[in-house]
Amino acid sequence: MSVSPTGRVVPAWHGAWLRVEGYWTWYRRYWKSNLYSTGLQPLLFLLAMGLGFGSQVQAGPATGGLSYVHYIAPALLVSAALQNAVGESTYPVLSGFKWQKDYLAVTATPVTPGQVLGGHLIWVTLRLLLAGTVYAVIAVPFGAWLNAGAVLVVLVGAATGLACAAPVTALAATTYDEGVRFNGVFRFVVMPMTLFAGTFFPIEQIPLALRWLAWISPLWHGNELARGVTLGGLDPLPALGHLAFLGALFAAGTALAHRYFYRRLVV
Amino acid sequence: MTVLDTPRRGLLLRVLPPGLYAGRASKIIERSVLAYSRMWLVFASGVLEPLLYLVAFQIGFGRLVGEATGPGGAPMSYVAFVAPALLASSAMNGAIFDSTFNVFFKFRYAKTYDAMLATPIGPLDIAIGEISWAVLRGGLYSVAFFVVMAAMGLVTTPWALLLIPAAVLIAFAFAAVGMTCATFLRSTSQFDYINLVVVPLFLFSTTFYPLSVYPEALRIVVQCSPLYHGIQLMRELSVGALHPGMLGHVAYLVALAALGIWGTARRLSGLLLR
């Protein structure tokens, strides 16, 4: 009797979705503590900065004539998405390679490293959409939204997060010793970006010599899009420009991550 | 001749079971200094973060608000209003980070403390040593912050010099309590519970806006927060508006610190010396 090979290879998307299913199994057990950091924390920021700090702010040209809570609500969603996306793409990815080694285990089956990467990115996207929706819904009773454009803000948040998740995943795939690298990303990139990319105040207040730093930050492009879709005043050409920037970042990050995943997982 | 520097105490005290304290807390600090000398980047980033906040408030938030009402009812620039509160909350954040995340790692994964207890070092040494290190680090950060405040022209009275010891006291209180909490943690996902406490404290303890923003009922809740007392103390010191009520703020923080030290030593001896 001979064992005949089935000859079946997992189709590209199916392999990635199998990974998503794996994440989902894990998530069903731990969703409570995760929902806090993803849904509740941005809401606390909205209460403190939008309502509390906002009560000290006079609506004026800096806020586009809007009350501060309307000005800040979409940007807070985007910056929370950015932080989630980066968080999900640092230690969890390194853990897949190094501690839990589930990436190694999975690539011992017909699932390819590219599908592992795809599964990770799909999962991050789903998490961002979920967290964004939770925030958007809970923010309604606080009067944070002017119109139903909030739905589009959730999509913008996911796009911005994804544009950052891809390059950070590539970085994590080349990390062998956790050391200080991820700490550096958070403190020298994510943190300054949150403060200076137009989330809390317009970047026109930043001296011209340093304003280019805001222009190259994905968060600023996300913030502009998010404010545009819900507060109005978004012209098609700049909108395409912002989307193109985020898309390019995502494409470059994914290409790099793809290469590093194969380098590390194919022996 | 001995290799170790023997503490001056009798043989009986050293071999008796409790062995809580061996007078070697300074060795724990020495270890931390050694370990951190290889991670200077982490150290530097801790200085950088509050400074970035300060700059953001100078160029950004401050322009949105203009003037705020200071402790004595006197108007002050918004940056001057926020700066002492930022120093207080960064002292808290740094202390909590050091005493929970780092301690948890050493306790559960690296087994650093098990190794230490196999030497003539007691749990109280560990508690005092780790908390002192967190305080030392917080003190260095607050000196750096104070220098930048001065450079930005935010130091207007000699009383403001007391901001540094006040920041150290806040770091001390939160490090002590944080370390007690760290001993209760079982998995990394429980760090979310720490954030669940620290983030609201940071956001709602009148860091960014005065207490008067809250409705009457909420004000009492806010006034229970230990960080609120830290921030009030700092804000009053920064403008030199001294009054006897400040002793109450200090007493609250000192009580918190004492509770934390007691709790940490108790927990560590319970968990490690079984």
Side-chain angles (χ1 to χ4, degrees), chain B residues 167-187:
Chain B
V168 170
L169 176 63
I170 294 172
F172 184 28
F174 280 99
V177 173
M179 195 164 166
T180 310
C181 297
T183 60
F184 285 100
L185 294 174
R186 305 208 159 267
S187 84

PDB file of all heavy atoms in Angstrom, chain B residues 167-187:
ATOM      1  N   ALA B 167       8.849  66.038  43.423  1.00  0.00           N
ATOM      2  CA  ALA B 167       8.763  65.006  42.382  1.00  0.00           C
ATOM      3  C   ALA B 167       9.319  63.684  42.909  1.00  0.00           C
ATOM      4  O   ALA B 167       8.787  62.615  42.622  1.00  0.00           O
ATOM      5  CB  ALA B 167       9.529  65.445  41.142  1.00  0.00           C
ATOM      6  N   VAL B 168      10.401  63.779  43.691  1.00  0.00           N
ATOM      7  CA  VAL B 168      10.994  62.559  44.247  1.00  0.00           C
ATOM      8  C   VAL B 168      10.006  61.879  45.200  1.00  0.00           C
ATOM      9  O   VAL B 168       9.861  60.651  45.202  1.00  0.00           O
ATOM     10  CB  VAL B 168      12.330  62.883  44.954  1.00  0.00           C
ATOM     11  CG1 VAL B 168      12.826  61.694  45.738  1.00  0.00           C
ATOM     12  CG2 VAL B 168      13.370  63.305  43.930  1.00  0.00           C
ATOM     13  N   LEU B 169       9.301  62.694  45.980  1.00  0.00           N
ATOM     14  CA  LEU B 169       8.311  62.122  46.905  1.00  0.00           C
ATOM     15  C   LEU B 169       7.202  61.401  46.130  1.00  0.00           C
ATOM     16  O   LEU B 169       6.785  60.294  46.500  1.00  0.00           O
ATOM     17  CB  LEU B 169       7.720  63.235  47.790  1.00  0.00           C
ATOM     18  CG  LEU B 169       6.603  62.790  48.738  1.00  0.00           C
ATOM     19  CD1 LEU B 169       7.123  61.777  49.744  1.00  0.00           C
ATOM     20  CD2 LEU B 169       5.991  63.977  49.462  1.00  0.00           C
ATOM     21  N   ILE B 170       6.749  62.025  45.054  1.00  0.00           N
ATOM     22  CA  ILE B 170       5.699  61.383  44.245  1.00  0.00           C
ATOM     23  C   ILE B 170       6.211  60.071  43.659  1.00  0.00           C
ATOM     24  O   ILE B 170       5.541  59.038  43.719  1.00  0.00           O
ATOM     25  CB  ILE B 170       5.240  62.335  43.121  1.00  0.00           C
ATOM     26  CG1 ILE B 170       4.541  63.546  43.729  1.00  0.00           C
ATOM     27  CG2 ILE B 170       4.303  61.625  42.156  1.00  0.00           C
ATOM     28  CD1 ILE B 170       4.222  64.630  42.732  1.00  0.00           C
ATOM     29  N   ALA B 171       7.432  60.118  43.114  1.00  0.00           N
ATOM     30  CA  ALA B 171       8.019  58.907  42.541  1.00  0.00           C
ATOM     31  C   ALA B 171       8.114  57.823  43.612  1.00  0.00           C
ATOM     32  O   ALA B 171       7.796  56.645  43.360  1.00  0.00           O
ATOM     33  CB  ALA B 171       9.400  59.211  41.972  1.00  0.00           C
ATOM     34  N   PHE B 172       8.525  58.223  44.816  1.00  0.00           N
ATOM     35  CA  PHE B 172       8.678  57.288  45.927  1.00  0.00           C
ATOM     36  C   PHE B 172       7.340  56.610  46.248  1.00  0.00           C
ATOM     37  O   PHE B 172       7.239  55.375  46.306  1.00  0.00           O
ATOM     38  CB  PHE B 172       9.206  58.067  47.129  1.00  0.00           C
ATOM     39  CG  PHE B 172       9.499  57.230  48.334  1.00  0.00           C
ATOM     40  CD1 PHE B 172       9.859  55.902  48.210  1.00  0.00           C
ATOM     41  CD2 PHE B 172       9.428  57.797  49.605  1.00  0.00           C
ATOM     42  CE1 PHE B 172      10.138  55.143  49.329  1.00  0.00           C
ATOM     43  CE2 PHE B 172       9.704  57.039  50.722  1.00  0.00           C
ATOM     44  CZ  PHE B 172      10.048  55.704  50.591  1.00  0.00           C
ATOM     45  N   ALA B 173       6.294  57.425  46.410  1.00  0.00           N
ATOM     46  CA  ALA B 173       4.986  56.878  46.785  1.00  0.00           C
ATOM     47  C   ALA B 173       4.478  55.902  45.730  1.00  0.00           C
ATOM     48  O   ALA B 173       4.039  54.792  46.046  1.00  0.00           O
ATOM     49  CB  ALA B 173       3.994  58.021  46.984  1.00  0.00           C
ATOM     50  N   PHE B 174       4.571  56.310  44.457  1.00  0.00           N
ATOM     51  CA  PHE B 174       4.022  55.449  43.411  1.00  0.00           C
ATOM     52  C   PHE B 174       4.891  54.226  43.165  1.00  0.00           C
ATOM     53  O   PHE B 174       4.382  53.151  42.836  1.00  0.00           O
ATOM     54  CB  PHE B 174       3.803  56.237  42.118  1.00  0.00           C
ATOM     55  CG  PHE B 174       2.535  57.040  42.144  1.00  0.00           C
ATOM     56  CD1 PHE B 174       2.554  58.390  42.434  1.00  0.00           C
ATOM     57  CD2 PHE B 174       1.317  56.432  41.904  1.00  0.00           C
ATOM     58  CE1 PHE B 174       1.383  59.128  42.479  1.00  0.00           C
ATOM     59  CE2 PHE B 174       0.143  57.156  41.950  1.00  0.00           C
ATOM     60  CZ  PHE B 174       0.174  58.511  42.244  1.00  0.00           C
ATOM     61  N   ALA B 175       6.199  54.371  43.315  1.00  0.00           N
ATOM     62  CA  ALA B 175       7.076  53.209  43.143  1.00  0.00           C
ATOM     63  C   ALA B 175       6.757  52.161  44.203  1.00  0.00           C
ATOM     64  O   ALA B 175       6.678  50.963  43.909  1.00  0.00           O
ATOM     65  CB  ALA B 175       8.536  53.634  43.226  1.00  0.00           C
ATOM     66  N   ALA B 176       6.562  52.615  45.450  1.00  0.00           N
ATOM     67  CA  ALA B 176       6.307  51.677  46.536  1.00  0.00           C
ATOM     68  C   ALA B 176       4.996  50.935  46.325  1.00  0.00           C
ATOM     69  O   ALA B 176       4.934  49.702  46.423  1.00  0.00           O
ATOM     70  CB  ALA B 176       6.282  52.431  47.868  1.00  0.00           C
ATOM     71  N   VAL B 177       3.940  51.679  46.004  1.00  0.00           N
ATOM     72  CA  VAL B 177       2.644  51.032  45.779  1.00  0.00           C
ATOM     73  C   VAL B 177       2.683  50.177  44.522  1.00  0.00           C
ATOM     74  O   VAL B 177       2.163  49.057  44.499  1.00  0.00           O
ATOM     75  CB  VAL B 177       1.527  52.093  45.681  1.00  0.00           C
ATOM     76  CG1 VAL B 177       0.224  51.450  45.284  1.00  0.00           C
ATOM     77  CG2 VAL B 177       1.379  52.798  47.004  1.00  0.00           C
ATOM     78  N   GLY B 178       3.340  50.695  43.482  1.00  0.00           N
ATOM     79  CA  GLY B 178       3.419  49.953  42.225  1.00  0.00           C
ATOM     80  C   GLY B 178       4.105  48.617  42.406  1.00  0.00           C
ATOM     81  O   GLY B 178       3.686  47.605  41.847  1.00  0.00           O
ATOM     82  N   MET B 179       5.150  48.598  43.224  1.00  0.00           N
ATOM     83  CA  MET B 179       5.861  47.342  43.396  1.00  0.00           C
ATOM     84  C   MET B 179       5.011  46.333  44.145  1.00  0.00           C
ATOM     85  O   MET B 179       5.053  45.135  43.851  1.00  0.00           O
ATOM     86  CB  MET B 179       7.169  47.585  44.128  1.00  0.00           C
ATOM     87  CG  MET B 179       8.083  46.401  43.996  1.00  0.00           C
ATOM     88  SD  MET B 179       9.754  46.778  44.418  1.00  0.00           S
ATOM     89  CE  MET B 179      10.392  45.120  44.570  1.00  0.00           C
ATOM     90  N   THR B 180       4.246  46.802  45.116  1.00  0.00           N
ATOM     91  CA  THR B 180       3.327  45.882  45.787  1.00  0.00           C
ATOM     92  C   THR B 180       2.373  45.279  44.758  1.00  0.00           C
ATOM     93  O   THR B 180       2.131  44.061  44.754  1.00  0.00           O
ATOM     94  CB  THR B 180       2.513  46.620  46.865  1.00  0.00           C
ATOM     95  OG1 THR B 180       3.413  47.356  47.680  1.00  0.00           O
ATOM     96  CG2 THR B 180       1.736  45.646  47.717  1.00  0.00           C
ATOM     97  N   CYS B 181       1.826  46.125  43.889  1.00  0.00           N
ATOM     98  CA  CYS B 181       0.886  45.625  42.869  1.00  0.00           C
ATOM     99  C   CYS B 181       1.580  44.634  41.942  1.00  0.00           C
ATOM    100  O   CYS B 181       0.975  43.637  41.532  1.00  0.00           O
ATOM    101  CB  CYS B 181       0.328  46.779  42.045  1.00  0.00           C
ATOM    102  SG  CYS B 181      -0.635  47.920  43.015  1.00  0.00           S
ATOM    103  N   ALA B 182       2.836  44.916  41.605  1.00  0.00           N
ATOM    104  CA  ALA B 182       3.543  44.050  40.664  1.00  0.00           C
ATOM    105  C   ALA B 182       3.617  42.623  41.184  1.00  0.00           C
ATOM    106  O   ALA B 182       3.604  41.669  40.410  1.00  0.00           O
ATOM    107  CB  ALA B 182       4.937  44.591  40.400  1.00  0.00           C
ATOM    108  N   THR B 183       3.692  42.456  42.504  1.00  0.00           N
ATOM    109  CA  THR B 183       3.805  41.102  43.041  1.00  0.00           C
ATOM    110  C   THR B 183       2.498  40.326  42.896  1.00  0.00           C
ATOM    111  O   THR B 183       2.483  39.114  43.021  1.00  0.00           O
ATOM    112  CB  THR B 183       4.187  41.131  44.530  1.00  0.00           C
ATOM    113  OG1 THR B 183       3.168  41.832  45.245  1.00  0.00           O
ATOM    114  CG2 THR B 183       5.516  41.804  44.748  1.00  0.00           C
ATOM    115  N   PHE B 184       1.391  41.041  42.640  1.00  0.00           N
ATOM    116  CA  PHE B 184       0.115  40.343  42.463  1.00  0.00           C
ATOM    117  C   PHE B 184      -0.114  39.892  41.028  1.00  0.00           C
ATOM    118  O   PHE B 184      -1.011  39.107  40.762  1.00  0.00           O
ATOM    119  CB  PHE B 184      -1.054  41.255  42.886  1.00  0.00           C
ATOM    120  CG  PHE B 184      -1.195  41.388  44.370  1.00  0.00           C
ATOM    121  CD1 PHE B 184      -0.703  42.490  45.031  1.00  0.00           C
ATOM    122  CD2 PHE B 184      -1.826  40.392  45.103  1.00  0.00           C
ATOM    123  CE1 PHE B 184      -0.835  42.607  46.407  1.00  0.00           C
ATOM    124  CE2 PHE B 184      -1.966  40.507  46.472  1.00  0.00           C
ATOM    125  CZ  PHE B 184      -1.462  41.614  47.131  1.00  0.00           C
ATOM    126  N   LEU B 185       0.697  40.443  40.090  1.00  0.00           N
ATOM    127  CA  LEU B 185       0.460  40.163  38.683  1.00  0.00           C
ATOM    128  C   LEU B 185       0.912  38.755  38.328  1.00  0.00           C
ATOM    129  O   LEU B 185       1.941  38.287  38.797  1.00  0.00           O
ATOM    130  CB  LEU B 185       1.217  41.166  37.821  1.00  0.00           C
ATOM    131  CG  LEU B 185       0.742  42.604  37.930  1.00  0.00           C
ATOM    132  CD1 LEU B 185       1.666  43.503  37.150  1.00  0.00           C
ATOM    133  CD2 LEU B 185      -0.674  42.736  37.439  1.00  0.00           C
ATOM    134  N   ARG B 186       0.118  38.081  37.486  1.00  0.00           N
ATOM    135  CA  ARG B 186       0.479  36.720  37.099  1.00  0.00           C
ATOM    136  C   ARG B 186       0.863  36.616  35.628  1.00  0.00           C
ATOM    137  O   ARG B 186       1.677  35.789  35.255  1.00  0.00           O
ATOM    138  CB  ARG B 186      -0.676  35.767  37.378  1.00  0.00           C
ATOM    139  CG  ARG B 186      -1.110  35.834  38.805  1.00  0.00           C
ATOM    140  CD  ARG B 186      -1.712  34.542  39.304  1.00  0.00           C
ATOM    141  NE  ARG B 186      -1.641  34.543  40.749  1.00  0.00           N
ATOM    142  CZ  ARG B 186      -0.639  34.009  41.412  1.00  0.00           C
ATOM    143  NH1 ARG B 186       0.342  33.414  40.765  1.00  0.00           N
ATOM    144  NH2 ARG B 186      -0.623  34.058  42.721  1.00  0.00           N
ATOM    145  N   SER B 187       0.229  37.432  34.767  1.00  0.00           N
ATOM    146  CA  SER B 187       0.595  37.358  33.349  1.00  0.00           C
ATOM    147  C   SER B 187       0.674  38.765  32.761  1.00  0.00           C
ATOM    148  O   SER B 187       0.150  39.715  33.342  1.00  0.00           O
ATOM    149  CB  SER B 187      -0.425  36.529  32.566  1.00  0.00           C
ATOM    150  OG  SER B 187      -1.512  37.345  32.208  1.00  0.00           O
TER     151      SER B 187
END
